[in-house]
């Protein structure tokens, strides 16, 4: 197959990733992850903050795409936004 969509346990996901040479899309147990990469910009800060807020709290978080994990590159710390 071109790609396979999989929802399930980590051991099976890891096995499929090897067997299918990475041609698998893994569903991550309903977590909607956001990753803020190294391209931190003061110019985009207000929009990024708004988007993170909306993704996490819109509809009181009662939606399947509610953000629950946020990874932030250390470059964002230089903007003074991280405690």
């Amino acid at each position: 197959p071109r790609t396979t969509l999989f929802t399930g346990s980590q051991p099976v996901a890891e096995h499929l990733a090897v067997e299918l040479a990475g041609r698998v899309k893994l569903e991550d147990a309903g977590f909607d992850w956001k990753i803020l990469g190294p391209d931190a910009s003061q110019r985009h800060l207000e929009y990024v903050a708004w988007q993170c807020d909306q993704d996490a709290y819109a509809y009181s978080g009662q939606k399947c795409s509610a953000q629950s994990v946020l990874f932030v590159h250390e470059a964002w710390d230089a903007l003074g936004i991280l405690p």
Side-chain angles (χ1 to χ4, degrees), residues 68-80:
S68 54
V69 179
L70 176 63
F71 292 101
V72 181
H73 188 275
E74 61 189 9
W76 288 85
D77 190 33
L79 297 178

Side-chain angles (χ1 to χ4, degrees), residues 3-16:
T3 61
T4 298
L5 179 61
F6 173 75
T7 303
S9 70
Q10 181 176 343
V12 174
E14 290 173 355
H15 175 77
L16 287 173

